[in-house]
Every structure is written in structure tokens, then in C-alpha cells.
Amino acid sequence: MGDHHSVQYDRLDDQPLSVAVAEAVATFRNEDVTELDPLHYSINADALERLFEPRADGLRSSGSVTFEYCDCLVSITADGEIRVESV
């Protein structure tokens, strides 16, 4: 595995953030996304979506969350970066 893997998530896209996170972790681990544990084993996926969803006055400009998922450390920032690294 490499040192880390980063992807940019488009918060205005129809793809749920939870799917983008699972895909980023699968890419980092060089596995199929179906081989991973369900994301909700590590974090409440609905809460994760709400944390970064657009507000009535526009996109969130700050904030981040970091959690462990499938032996990886996942960090998501309000600007849409999903960063995956080894624990």
C-alpha cells in the first residue's frame, strides 16, 4: 500500500459521501469495495452525510472529521478532500 490516497469529493454530486469514502478506502487497499466492512460499522453514515451537506446559505467552508475504517485512517474536510492512510 502507498503512503496515503486522496480524492476530491464533489459535494454537489448525486453520489453519497459514504459511497465516495468506501471507494477511496477500497482504492487505497487495492480491494473491491464489496470486500470492505459496511461503513456503518465505523461511523454513522447518515450523520456523516449531514455533517458536510450544503447549508441553506451555501456550501460549508470549514470543518473536518477523522475516523478509522477497515484499518485505515479516513479524514474528510469541508472542501471535499477525502484522505486515506494506514493506521
Side-chain angles (χ1 to χ4, degrees), residues 27-43:
T27 298
F28 177 74
R29 292 174 51 105
N30 197 28
E31 295 180 12
D32 190 272
V33 72
T34 60
E35 296 174 22
L36 302 178
D37 289 337
L39 183 63
H40 69 264
Y41 285 8
S42 297
I43 192 168

Side-chain angles (χ1 to χ4, degrees), residues 44-60:
N44 181 313
D46 290 335
L48 181 64
E49 301 289 344
R50 285 192 302 276
L51 195 61
F52 293 105
E53 70 187 5
R55 300 184 317 200
D57 62 350
L59 295 175
R60 296 181 190 277

Side-chain angles (χ1 to χ4, degrees), residues 7-24 33 49 82:
V7 294
Q8 194 65 32
Y9 172 70
D10 182 354
R11 294 171 293 165
L12 299 177
D13 194 359
D14 287 338
Q15 180 187 51
L17 177 56
S18 55
V19 172
V21 167
E23 289 177 351
V33 72
E49 301 289 344
I82 301 171

Side-chain angles (χ1 to χ4, degrees), residues 4-11 17 20-21 24 52 63-66 74-85:
H4 76 276
H5 174 68
S6 293
V7 294
Q8 194 65 32
Y9 172 70
D10 182 354
R11 294 171 293 165
L17 177 56
V21 167
F52 293 105
S64 65
V65 65
T66 301
V74 179
S75 299
I76 305 168
T77 59
D79 67 0
E81 181 185 19
I82 301 171
R83 181 182 173 97
V84 183
E85 56 192 293

